[in-house]
Amino acid sequence: MPDAATQDANISSEIRAELYRTLFAVWRFGSNALVGWRPTPTGMEILTAPKIRLFALKDAPRRVFVGDRLMGDRTFDEVAEALQSRALDLRLTQTIGDGPGQTPASVVEETFAPFTVTKTDQRAVLLLDIVGFSKLQPEQQASQLATLEFALNIAAETANAHGIECRMCRSTTGDGFYVWNERKGLDADIDLFVGFVLFMIFHAALKRSVTVPAAVPELRAALGVGSHYNYRQPDRSGTSRNDFIVGDVTIQVARLIANCRAGQILVGAFHRWDDANGVWIDEEQFVERVAAGLVRLVDLPVMGSRIERTTLYLTGRRLPEGRFQRQKIRVVDKHGFEHFCFNMKLNAFLDGVEPYYCGLQHADLTAGRPGA
């Protein structure tokens, strides 16, 4: 006979599944967004809104898109008024709370999350693009995407195994991926850049070692920091989901990638808030922090070799006194909008192999425009 702890675990699983099915029905195959909830004596009340109406809101309260979806009464009522939405009362088998026989609020929040649309004010996002992808045969396209995904997976696995918290979420662009860290915050963004450096080293190592060179794609990359919306595509069973992001930061890196050369790494101009120190930092200060954090990669294994040291920096012209000044690059996109960015260079030194030089030097930027 199962003990009490096992029974509680089984009940929690059943309750979670029941709640998920209920919320999935309210979500209506993605036409609605679940915006907020609060517990009641008999279950919970939830706020929903058609996504079309949600994105058409003017001067929406911040909590419509930001923060936990569990809301206090005052916030819940304020959001309901902004949405012009009446709360939907859900009767649950178990009430919500921390007592015996209750469903913890954390379980409800986790189950609720896949059906929401949220906004993140600042997050680093990487766009990886396969050069010349549209000109390849379907078999070559599939092969190169598989190799790209393998390099991302092994870089993320290696990073996390050595204490670098970088779960690389991604969504496909068809010829590449948007990549971001599941965690939020400045440290998470730095870890994404560190994970990107590790990815570039793995990619360069694969390029040298594979027996079918055409299987390893030629890449170009754009990185930026900015705001975005996040939404998911949960399935009926609750066992699978796809994450998607769209917003200012994805627009920025997409515009940059269109003006990025084969092998080049561009970093969009940005300012990011540093909560720990209460200051804004720019892209140069951010990259300097990433570069300082690359010491964590020392001695990590890559294709039979170990990393000895890495350097990462924004390029620019040499000044008379010998130091370098980063060079801001102006990009005008196809819509006539200006974007500013910087060229970034990565050098990696491993034992027993020739160094890997990733990205373009400043002198390389004077030749011709990149292809589409």
Side-chain angles (χ1 to χ4, degrees), residues 151-172:
L152 282 169
N153 289 339
I154 195 170
E157 187 70 22
T158 303
N160 282 286
H162 291 81
I164 301 166
E165 297 182 58
C166 183
R167 181 178 180 269
M168 292 184 176
C169 299
R170 72 199 68 154
S171 62
T172 181

Side-chain angles (χ1 to χ4, degrees), residues 55 146 181 246 287:
F55 288 113
N181 198 344
V246 62
V287 170

Side-chain angles (χ1 to χ4, degrees), residues 4-18:
T6 302
Q7 288 179 328
D8 286 347
N10 291 337
I11 290 173
S12 295
S13 177
E14 292 170 5
I15 294 300
R16 187 194 296 259
E18 176 192 2

